[in-house]
Amino acid sequence: MPVTKQSIGFIGATSNIGLSLAQGVAHGNYRLLLFGRDSDEIEPIAKKIRGNTPNADIAILECAHECSWEADVIILDVSDNKLDEVLPNIRDVATQKIVVQLSSNPRREMENRTHIIEKIHRELPHSKIIHLGPTELLDSINESKKSGSLFISGDDNEAVQTVSEIIETAGFHPFVKNNIKEEI
């Protein structure tokens, strides 16, 4: 866990994994910045987190750009078609930041993974991109999995370590893979 409080921007946080991460890190030394296109969806998430962790440091923000600007780590929990809208909106404020692409649907993700990974790297060329998802995504490449594990992959070792610490704080086990782009 970091010594100084880090801000984690959740753009979305509505999938099971995204919500679990947000709830889990709320008790750590993190400030949660929540953004969702539908405030009716984000408000109950913040309320639920505060109910479980009354001292949680949470802010609901009005736009993805503001959320990303304030965040040290940006977690994208959005569908592929929403990436086309979100990525250009955060490009200028995500430079040199850790951007986590959360894959929460193994079946759909396997079909589109190459396209999604290339899109994010192309749109955010100066960010430290990390891919995070359930270990079921690795089944096709014959990897073992552990209950409660999330795979992490990326090119920047420091960013991978930071994200590993975040998911450990959230109660998951990190399963670190080398650059997943090489395995596609």
Side-chain angles (χ1 to χ4, degrees), residues 2-16:
V3 175
T4 59
K5 187 175 276 195
Q6 287 185 316
S7 294
I8 303 174
F10 286 89
I11 298 178
T14 55
S15 73
N16 288 335

Side-chain angles (χ1 to χ4, degrees), residues 145-160:
K145 61 183 177 184
K146 181 177 179 181
S147 179
S149 294
L150 293 176
F151 82 81
I152 304 169
S153 67
D155 294 333
D156 185 289
N157 290 335
E158 187 177 322
V160 168

